Amino acid sequence: EPSNTGRAGYAISRVTFTGSPGKLVATAPTWVTNVRVSTSAMFDPECQSQLVADPDGLWLVLGDRPVGGGVVKVGRSTDQGKTWAWTTLRVTGLESFKPSLAVTARQVFVGWHALGKDGLVRTFYSATPAAVVSFGPPTPVTPSSFTMPRIINGTGLRESASAADGIVYYAWGDARTDLAVYVAAISI
């Protein structure tokens, strides 16, 4: 059996819930596929991932560290995870990490952090129409930046995105004054 060291892979399963509200029963997972995403992804707190299912398939976002710096990879599968088409998001000159994903019927949103050579972390997002998969340029979520804390995934520093009625609510941790969580409402 190959080692998982130094690569990113996902085993995707399907679980079905049956029964009435309050008495749901989950079936045993049915394994769909094992996906080897990257040979360079690092398993550390900065490389979180997120999977979202929509009526047309799956979206997967992850942080990756190929030679030359950190990037965000966005994968799209329309065959239940058997094959993937990948898009790479990056901010030129910055090391990207900790992506989050929100998907609506019309839009896909990705938010992430990027570290500069000046030691400051900035927070960005990019969006695309779901049917086209053509992400716009990275846009700052906030003009604020912060120095990388010693424990990047400590309490309160988990990024998350959710969408409703054309608005993405993006929560991210940053340390501009203290370890805190901020929330932005971004119209997409």
Side-chain angles (χ1 to χ4, degrees):
E1 173 101 9
S3 167
N4 239 3
T5 305
R7 67 184 176 111
Y10 296 86
I12 298 173
S13 66
R14 182 180 303 121
V15 177
T16 305
F17 293 95
T18 58
S20 60
K23 291 190 172 197
L24 292 177
V25 177
T27 62
T30 302
W31 295 108
V32 176
T33 186
N34 289 322
V35 180
R36 184 172 177 168
V37 176
S38 171
T39 57
S40 61
M42 295 180 61
F43 291 94
D44 63 27
E46 299 169 15
C47 292
Q48 71 185 31
S49 63
Q50 187 173 356
L51 178 71
V52 173
D54 71 11
D56 298 318
L58 302 171
W59 292 91
L60 176 65
V61 66
L62 60 97
D64 192 15
R65 290 238 177 108
V67 174
V71 298
V72 171
K73 289 191 174 180
V74 183
R76 176 72 172 140
S77 175
T78 56
D79 60 5
Q80 299 178 335
K82 293 179 183 82
T83 61
W84 294 85
W86 292 96
T87 300
T88 299
L89 302 176
R90 66 172 42 95
V91 182
T92 303
L94 302 179
E95 184 96 10
S96 297
F97 63 99
K98 290 187 76 178
S100 294
L101 176 67
V103 177
T104 70
R106 296 184 321 260
Q107 296 284 325
V108 177
F109 168 94
V110 177
W112 71 94
H113 291 310
L115 176 65
K117 289 182 173 50
D118 59 3
L120 295 177
V121 177
R122 294 158 180 89
T123 306
F124 293 88
Y125 78 93
S126 185
T128 182
V132 179
V133 190
S134 177
F135 284 90
T139 303
V141 173
T142 174
S144 296
S145 59
F146 60 95
T147 303
M148 177 81 83
R150 283 183 2 150
I151 303 172
I152 189 64
N153 237 9
T155 303
L157 288 177
R158 301 278 180 181
E159 285 61 29
S160 181
S162 186
D165 300 325
I167 304 289
V168 170
Y169 299 93
Y170 179 51
W172 74 97
D174 87 26
R176 67 181 85 154
T177 57
D178 194 2
L179 295 181
V181 174
Y182 295 83
V183 177
I186 301 168
S187 192
I188 59 171

